[in-house]
Amino acid sequence: MSDRSREKAVRDVWRPATPRREPVTYTPGLLLTDDVRRLPSGLRTAVQCIELANLGVNRAVVTEQAERVLQSDPAHADAYGPWLAVLALYYTGDLVSADAQCERLARHPSWSASARHQNLLKLLRARGSLISGDATRAVDLLKAALADEASAFPACLAIAWLIEALVHLGELDQAHEVLLEHGLVGRLSTHLPDRPHVLAARGALHMAMGQFQYAVDDYTACGRTLAALNVVNSAVLPWRSRAAFGALAVQRYDLALALAEDELIAARKWGSARSVGTALHAVAIARRDDSSVPLLEEAVQLLDLGQARTELTQALYDLGTLQVERKDVTGGRSRLEAAGAVARECGNAYWAERVRQALTRLSGPDNGRALTRQEIKIAQLARAGYSNQRIAETLFLAVRTVEFHLSSVYRKLAISGRRELATALGSVAA
């Protein structure tokens, strides 16, 4: 099979089985009637703005239309017009303008007097907080919005963003409880509001828990849903790059590279620093060749420029780890220290601790942290979600032997258990 045929084959994984006959615009948090022309003028302009953003074209026009909606008097606008307009600004990467518009809306009497308006505003602020790295504030805002059961607002979107924020904080048990509480495990209804965001959030949780194939399945389902809704812009949801990391973990290397490179093409068409930086991060890790370090360095610069500190922390961490693998210990240490500094500035204790442990492993004696071949095999199976019993059956070992080796792995890597294998194992076992 040629490279072109192989790439087409893996990309067909997320193509919708039957294309829609009529264009459909995905408007997060809002279910539209079929005839958009009947909407009030401000909301109609906001919907057109989101439609352009979904297609990933004309970023300057999207910004202009969003600002036009937001310049109108909020007292005479439907709440969802400004809601969509601010979302569009987040898509463009203009966090400063989006946050400023949130503050403006918060001061307006028509927004401060309405519970529905206030909860929409909490969601917008939470989204901005998560992008800029303050996942703790995002969690607080989203929990406050969800606690107000009397107000009608996009609950599924709030739940999805809450799960995503909890995952970034390492609060995986809480995130799983949210999924269970709202009945979002197993097969999701095709009519579930904001289904793409729920699938993406669930995929993030699966990734963090080491359930990589489940993560790939959720992300590709997210991609199929978005494709059916004519959404190609990774600024809406960077599902391809996230799925690429899961594909790498289950050794589907062609799929990982195709996903990452496909997202990079779309991100460059859109042109926001955050989107391009996120895609470059995935491409660099998927390639694992001489271009990986320069690509990651470019990704770090763009994510810093785009004030996307959540993604910046992860990119710095992976860059530092990769440089250590390439025997550039000084450069790797510097990047890991930078990742730790960003995590501390964002108040993210989970990532700050992960970086600290990585630096501890780097400082430790080589003979104390080097894994044996048997330990690497067992650790890789544990990372993939295998139980101790299944690992023992796969490798023809006693369960007690597996337990002994895993304890040794945790001690050598200075980690507390399976949850941290996904990141700790890479640099040592490469």
Side-chain angles (χ1 to χ4, degrees):
M1 182 183 290
S2 67
D3 289 343
R4 186 180 296 274
S5 299
R6 183 167 56 251
E7 184 170 314
K8 180 183 183 300
V10 293
R11 286 183 178 175
D12 283 345
V13 170
W14 67 85
R15 300 301 185 198
T18 53
R20 297 261 186 169
R21 292 183 179 180
E22 298 294 334
V24 178
T25 299
Y26 174 48
T27 49
L30 176 62
L31 295 176
L32 290 174
T33 59
D34 291 336
D35 192 354
V36 178
R37 293 171 297 180
R38 296 182 181 178
L39 296 174
S41 61
L43 180 55
R44 185 168 65 249
T45 301
V47 169
Q48 292 168 348
C49 175
I50 284 290
E51 183 174 21
L52 274 181
N54 287 344
L55 295 173
V57 295
N58 298 324
R59 187 162 60 98
V61 174
V62 170
T63 300
E64 180 184 340
Q65 287 186 339
E67 290 176 345
R68 187 186 311 155
V69 172
L70 291 161
Q71 283 169 0
S72 64
D73 185 353
H76 302 293
D78 185 280
Y80 284 101
W83 156 263
L84 293 177
V86 174
L87 272 184
L89 288 178
Y90 281 131
Y91 293 162
T92 67
D94 191 349
L95 299 187
V96 173
S97 294
D99 291 344
Q101 290 294 346
C102 286
E103 294 306 315
R104 173 175 170 266
L105 292 173
R107 293 192 298 269
H108 199 282
S110 66
W111 278 70
S112 59
S114 164
R116 182 183 63 155
H117 287 56
Q118 281 294 299
N119 280 330
L120 286 174
L121 196 54
K122 287 186 180 105
L123 265 64
L124 289 172
R125 284 171 158 167
R127 198 59 183 166
S129 296
L130 185 57
I131 292 171
S132 61
D134 193 349
T136 300
R137 181 171 185 255
V139 166
D140 292 341
L141 287 165
L142 292 164
K143 284 183 175 179
L146 286 166
D148 185 1
E149 298 178 356
S151 175
F153 75 105
C156 281
L157 198 60
I159 292 164
W161 289 353
L162 175 59
I163 292 168
E164 185 181 350
L166 288 169
V167 168
H168 283 299
L169 292 173
E171 299 291 348
L172 306 189
D173 291 338
Q174 277 195 53
H176 191 246
E177 286 174 9
V178 173
L179 269 181
L180 291 173
E181 179 185 351
H182 296 281
L184 297 176
V185 295
R187 185 181 296 274
L188 299 178
S189 168
T190 56
H191 302 294
L192 181 74
D194 294 301
R195 185 171 181 266
H197 281 275
V198 174
L199 284 166
R202 201 170 70 174
L205 179 57
H206 285 315
M207 278 293 296
M209 295 177 71
Q211 299 168 339
F212 302 116
Q213 186 56 57
Y214 289 128
V216 173
D217 292 343
D218 275 342
Y219 282 130
T220 51
C222 170
R224 284 193 296 270
T225 304
L226 289 173
L229 295 170
N230 295 329
V231 180
V232 298
N233 190 353
S234 62
V236 177
L237 265 174
W239 69 270
R240 298 175 188 85
S241 59
R242 295 173 183 176
F245 288 109
L248 285 171
V250 294
Q251 300 180 347
R252 298 179 66 184
Y253 303 115
D254 284 349
L255 176 60
L257 187 56
L259 285 163
E261 291 187 339
D262 203 54
E263 179 163 306
L264 182 57
I265 291 169
R268 281 181 166 154
K269 285 181 181 177
W270 181 239
S272 75
R274 179 189 176 216
S275 296
V276 177
T278 300
L280 281 170
H281 180 186
V283 170
I285 299 302
R287 285 186 182 175
R288 285 283 173 171
D289 58 18
D290 291 341
S291 69
S292 293
V293 168
L295 286 174
L296 265 175
E297 288 174 338
E298 184 181 354
V300 163
Q301 291 174 355
L302 288 170
L303 292 170
D304 190 22
L305 179 65
Q307 303 174 60
R309 294 195 294 175
T310 293
E311 287 92 350
L312 176 61
T313 304
Q314 298 171 21
L316 282 166
Y317 183 91
D318 284 346
L319 176 55
T321 301
L322 185 58
Q323 286 178 303
V324 171
E325 289 178 16
R326 302 292 170 84
K327 309 304 180 184
D328 180 7
V329 177
T330 301
R333 183 186 299 278
S334 174
R335 292 301 192 175
L336 287 170
E337 289 172 347
V342 174
R344 288 190 296 274
E345 288 171 10
C346 295
N348 193 319
Y350 170 66
W351 270 96
E353 177 61 16
R354 282 182 63 175
V355 172
R356 187 196 67 77
Q357 290 176 355
L359 288 168
T360 299
R361 292 194 296 272
L362 191 58
S363 302
D366 288 343
N367 61 356
R369 68 185 186 92
L371 302 185
T372 65
R373 289 185 181 181
Q374 186 78 298
E375 287 171 343
I376 290 172
K377 289 179 183 178
I378 291 171
Q380 287 174 333
L381 290 173
R383 183 180 66 175
Y386 282 49
S387 67
N388 288 357
Q389 179 67 43
R390 191 176 174 193
I391 294 171
E393 293 170 355
T394 301
L395 299 179
F396 303 101
L397 299 171
V399 174
R400 290 183 121 188
T401 303
V402 172
E403 293 171 349
F404 172 80
H405 283 305
L406 275 177
S407 297
S408 177
V409 168
Y410 300 154
R411 176 180 54 78
K412 290 181 178 180
L413 298 184
I415 61 177
S416 58
R418 287 172 179 250
R419 184 178 297 177
E420 298 172 65
L421 277 175
T423 52
L425 185 61
S427 62
V428 178

